[in-house]
Amino acid sequence: MSEKTYDVPAEWAKRAWIDQAKYKDMYARSISDPNAFWAEQAKRIDWMHAPTKIENVSFAPGNISIKWFEDGVLNVAWNCIDRHLHKRANQTAIIWEGDDPSQSRHITYKELHDEVCRMANILRTRNVKKGDRVTIYLPMIPEAAYAMLACARIGAIHSVVFAGFSPDSLAQRINDCQSKVIITADEGLRGGKKVPLKANVDAALAKADGVDWVVVVKRTGGTVEMNPSRDLWYHDAAKMVTTECPAEHMHAEDPLFILYTSGSTGQPKGVLHTSGGYLVFAAMTHQYVFDYHDGDIYWCTADVGWVTGHSYILYGPLANGATTLMFEGVPNYPDNSRFWNVIDKHKVNIFYTAPTAIRALMQSGDEPVKKTSRASLRLLGSVGEPINPEAWEWYHRVVGDDRCPIVDTWWQTETGGILITPLPGATKLKPGSATQPFFGVVPEIVDADGKVLDGETSGNLCLTRSWPGQMRTVYGDHARFEQTYFSTYKGKYFTGDGCRRDADGYYWITGRVDDVINVSGHRMGTAEVESALVAHEKVSEAAVVGFPHDIKGQGIYAYVTLMAGVEPTEDLRKELVTWVRKEIGPIASPDQIQFAPGLPKTRSGKIMRRILRKIAEDEPGSLGDTSTLADPAVVDDLVKNRQNKK
Ligand code: 6R9
């Protein structure tokens, strides 16, 4: 752990929304009188009926219920667009930067209004109503923003599925929330390569029922099949509708979106977020964590298929009337200077990315960064996984020219917004630490038995209080919501993360303590990869664990037992990697596959993952007690045949 600290630069303490004294004062008030604190914060958005009831939350076993601002009435899209029009009609809302560096566009708030209304009217004319689910499977093009905001405008619940997911994964998500409509594109474009989105939707719909309409945006102009009774071109439909569409009156607790995320067991969960609390929290964290001021150009490099794209490309920034940059491409196309060239081209002031991107770019040295100016940059951010101090220092020194503070923001799909983070005008930085809790957030570190640990310590990270951006339920399965997050430690929310608190009260997230692995900042349930592997006809059993990976943070290590009589060959290894990519998507590709005649199991048949993790980490010396195994000899074979030895 790095012991270096970085003080708040004097000019930051002066100009930032929050300095140290203000952080202390506001944090204390957020804890001592949450109702007054959040009633005040609710005023940052416009309500059709202002809330009078603020927090109504129970974390009690058997009665998990989370409500914020419950008698308030609002429309999220109206807050992100219409309320800005009198002042910002001609201000750029979205800067779109294409995969091809010669393509970019500026979309003003007025244009955003018109396009969102068009999309909303297309949905309305297809009979989409308040509460209906719409699946969005789009690349990073402006229409993704229009589609999400159009749903919000008419009260439909969007479920964005990352465009890298396979037809099977898409079908599963369409089925789970019973979407009536899919919005997609002919093809996506990333790093010069085409992604067959419409063809994927066609394949998914062979396995999903109940979809009446597929709206297809033309992105590349590639050939696609159109089913005339189901599919319509967006550009044709858009000609038939007007640019006016009234915003639905929504209750604060009406659902805004579902976003599927991986957990330690079973299929991905539909994380449900609602309208009022989510928007207040996304807007507030965007303003304070990134110290957003009018006129700033802000860029978050995430994809709208992940929660970071929802809260910090779209909802938070637009609620604040910001200019937000949306990037279709990848960090290394056409070359490794792409991020920095985009920053110079659009004079980006605030840049928010993931440690995996930083580590990958760091590998090609300082030159691709240093040959760009980056003079516009003021603040850097990190999200998605722990950032190792070496990558932090490089980001600070080389990208930020020792001038820009870094906000290392810890949060989750479930939390809706940032919970543990520095505030750039208030918090001394320590490379690798997410530092301090945001307003209203009370972290607690507990041991395996749930005993609360005080002072300098490490253990499992829980949160004892609710905050307005918290997820409300698992879509269609409230029992699973309670089971997953509130049953390990009664009366508190369990994050699934391990955490250390140092002598200064700083928090250091150490990574997942459950069977979730974090590959390039993407959450992957080991159970999902295992079930994809065992679906292959030659596989009898599979166990998947994470292992340290220089760029991805964690890689996927799969132990595979083959059916009797099947030869373990190199070709089969490749076939299994391709199989998993096809079943789930490229982000789930195993980095290592080890053929294992047997897996270490207890006498009751439970796979001992602890042992498999140690072998994958190449630490056979610390396997611990193997005497409870049904057949301890399998371990020797596994150690001997480990892939990718140090
Ligand atoms: C926003 C997002 C959540 C998991 C989370 C944790 C890891 C995210 C982090 C971090 C250390 C940070 N994580 N930010 N770990 N430091 N700054 O990433 O949501 O995709 O749901 O992942 O990511 O393990 O539990 P999500």
Side-chain angles (χ1 to χ4, degrees):
M1 296 287 166
S2 167
E3 283 312 318
K4 220 163 148 186
T5 61
Y6 290 79
D7 288 332
V8 175
E11 72 276 15
W12 270 91
K14 215 160 64 200
R15 61 151 276 167
W17 291 109
I18 312 283
D19 63 13
Q20 198 182 23
K22 202 154 178 213
Y23 169 71
K24 282 197 173 133
D25 171 60
M26 281 175 71
Y27 185 79
R29 277 193 291 127
S30 74
I31 302 306
S32 64
D33 193 353
N35 279 310
F37 182 87
W38 290 109
E40 193 55 37
Q41 285 301 326
K43 294 183 186 149
R44 64 173 51 247
I45 65 170
D46 284 5
W47 300 85
M48 293 153 172
H49 179 277
T52 61
K53 293 186 192 164
I54 307 303
E55 179 181 1
N56 181 4
V57 171
S58 158
F59 285 179
N63 178 32
I64 307 295
S65 164
I66 301 161
K67 291 183 182 151
W68 284 89
F69 313 124
E70 60 188 295
D71 63 342
V73 177
L74 78 161
N75 183 281
V76 168
W78 198 86
N79 269 283
C80 289
I81 308 169
D82 306 49
R83 70 160 171 159
H84 305 311
L85 290 178
H86 66 283
K87 190 169 144 201
R88 304 183 193 276
N90 297 318
Q91 182 199 308
T92 301
I94 297 175
I95 300 175
W96 178 75
E97 168 77 15
D99 186 55
D100 176 336
S102 69
Q103 293 196 334
S104 58
R105 281 172 60 196
H106 284 67
I107 298 147
T108 65
Y109 271 94
K110 174 72 172 93
E111 287 165 333
L112 181 64
H113 170 271
D114 292 357
E115 296 300 334
V116 168
C117 286
R118 275 210 181 92
M119 183 75 89
N121 283 328
I122 293 173
L123 295 175
R124 271 206 172 130
T125 53
R126 264 69 195 177
N127 205 26
V128 177
K129 296 199 184 65
K130 183 171 172 172
D132 288 344
R133 278 76 60 209
V134 172
T135 292
I136 298 174
Y137 185 66
L138 280 172
M140 288 288 286
I141 53 177
E143 286 80 1
Y146 306 159
M148 292 164 77
L149 290 161
C151 289
R153 193 165 192 95
I154 65 173
I157 307 169
H158 61 69
S159 162
V160 182
V161 176
F162 175 57
F165 277 120
S166 68
D168 275 4
S169 300
L170 175 61
Q172 192 183 45
R173 288 159 172 79
I174 292 168
N175 278 327
D176 185 81
C177 69
Q178 296 167 302
S179 290
K180 292 172 69 170
V181 173
I182 317 289
I183 306 175
T184 190
D186 49 0
E187 296 173 310
L189 199 56
R190 268 169 68 87
K193 294 195 201 84
K194 290 177 176 171
V195 189
L197 298 180
K198 173 61 168 62
N200 286 353
V201 169
D202 292 341
L205 291 187
K207 297 185 178 175
D209 294 323
V211 173
D212 301 329
W213 298 103
V214 178
V215 181
V216 187
V217 178
K218 188 172 269 187
R219 167 64 188 102
T220 64
T223 332
V224 294
E225 274 178 38
M226 294 293 276
N227 171 346
S229 63
R230 188 196 68 190
D231 304 345
L232 57 134
W233 284 108
Y234 170 68
H235 59 267
D236 288 338
K239 286 184 210 136
M240 319 290 285
V241 292
T242 69
T243 55
E244 288 303 324
C245 175
E248 193 77 37
H249 288 217
M250 303 296 289
H251 290 279
E253 287 300 337
D254 283 337
L256 177 64
F257 67 84
I258 299 166
L259 187 56
Y260 287 87
T261 193
S262 296
S264 47
T265 53
Q267 305 294 3
K269 293 181 288 281
V271 168
L272 185 88
H273 283 287
T274 57
S275 304
Y278 171 81
L279 192 67
V280 168
F281 198 69
M284 178 188 185
T285 45
H286 174 260
Q287 182 193 349
Y288 291 152
V289 175
F290 300 106
D291 197 52
Y292 191 86
H293 286 75
D294 252 5
D296 286 344
I297 310 287
Y298 162 88
W299 181 17
C300 164
T301 69
D303 191 285
V304 290
W306 311 113
V307 73
T308 307
H310 284 59
S311 301
Y312 299 113
I313 294 178
L314 220 59
Y315 289 117
L318 294 181
N320 290 336
T323 298
T324 181
L325 194 150
M326 186 174 185
F327 176 46
E328 186 183 33
V330 293
N332 58 357
Y333 177 83
D335 60 39
N336 284 325
S337 294
R338 185 66 193 275
F339 274 178
W340 328 123
N341 283 331
V342 173
I343 288 171
D344 287 350
K345 177 174 172 187
H346 298 293
K347 304 280 173 288
V348 171
N349 307 114
I350 303 163
F351 178 69
Y352 189 30
T353 195
T356 185
I358 299 165
R359 287 192 300 262
L361 293 169
M362 197 172 133
Q363 289 222 326
S364 49
D366 299 3
E367 198 266 344
V369 190
K370 288 299 178 195
K371 71 178 186 202
T372 63
S373 153
R374 289 156 291 106
S376 57
L377 275 183
R378 205 176 61 237
L379 180 69
L380 302 171
S382 172
V383 62
E385 50 174 318
I387 180 164
N388 47 312
E390 302 70 37
W392 195 104
E393 295 284 0
W394 185 83
Y395 196 27
H396 190 262
R397 177 173 51 81
V398 180
V399 177
D401 286 322
D402 287 316
R403 178 187 79 238
C404 308
I406 298 177
V407 287
D408 174 2
T409 62
W410 174 84
W411 60 296
Q412 312 177 297
T413 305
E414 293 88 338
T415 71
I418 295 165
L419 295 195
I420 302 183
T421 180
L423 299 180
T427 318
K428 223 186 232 198
L429 305 176
K430 298 190 187 189
S433 171
T435 77
Q436 302 270 293
F438 190 73
F439 305 121
V441 174
V442 184
E444 196 172 76
I445 298 182
V446 302
D447 69 12
D449 302 322
K451 185 167 162 275
V452 178
L453 305 171
D454 295 323
E456 200 180 340
T457 189
S458 61
N460 297 335
L461 179 64
C462 293
L463 303 162
T464 64
R465 295 218 191 168
S466 183
W467 60 97
Q470 184 170 23
M471 75 181 281
R472 302 302 197 252
T473 193
V474 171
Y475 185 75
D477 196 349
H478 198 64
R480 189 168 175 206
F481 179 52
E482 170 157 5
Q483 168 63 30
T484 309
Y485 303 104
F486 298 94
S487 68
T488 319
Y489 305 111
K490 301 267 185 276
K492 49 193 93 162
Y493 170 85
F494 175 43
T495 63
D497 278 319
C499 182
R500 179 171 82 90
R501 185 171 46 222
D502 71 15
D504 298 328
Y506 272 46
Y507 291 87
W508 302 70
I509 308 297
T510 51
R512 302 289 304 197
V513 294
D514 51 10
D515 288 323
V516 170
I517 49 186
N518 194 325
V519 184
S520 300
H522 301 317
R523 269 166 76 166
M524 192 52 58
T526 53
E528 283 167 73
V529 185
E530 287 164 4
S531 65
L533 282 166
V534 295
H536 190 282
E537 58 177 14
K538 292 181 183 157
V539 174
S540 109
E541 208 170 17
V544 169
V545 297
F547 73 102
H549 187 288
D550 283 349
I551 290 176
K552 299 180 180 181
Q554 277 189 299
I556 299 179
Y557 196 111
Y559 297 87
V560 170
T561 307
L562 297 171
M563 293 290 187
V566 177
E567 272 298 299
T569 62
E570 262 326 292
D571 280 350
L572 180 55
R573 212 192 292 276
K574 285 190 200 124
E575 185 182 323
L576 292 177
V577 172
T578 311
W579 173 264
V580 175
R581 289 172 72 93
K582 187 183 84 37
E583 288 281 301
I584 305 177
I587 56 170
S589 299
D591 297 277
Q592 302 293 341
I593 291 185
Q594 174 169 354
F595 292 119
L599 294 170
K601 292 186 185 165
T602 60
R603 289 192 186 90
S604 62
K606 222 169 151 350
I607 294 173
M608 299 260 289
R609 291 163 177 287
R610 172 176 61 78
I611 291 174
L612 293 175
R613 263 186 230 117
K614 286 294 173 203
I615 297 172
E617 285 163 10
D618 206 3
E619 288 185 7
S622 49
L623 291 182
D625 183 11
T626 57
S627 64
T628 56
L629 290 176
D631 177 10
V634 297
V635 174
D636 299 334
D637 173 82
L638 291 175
V639 172
K640 199 167 86 220
N641 293 308
R642 186 189 179 278
Q643 297 294 298
N644 190 29
K645 287 203 169 64
K646 271 180 204 159

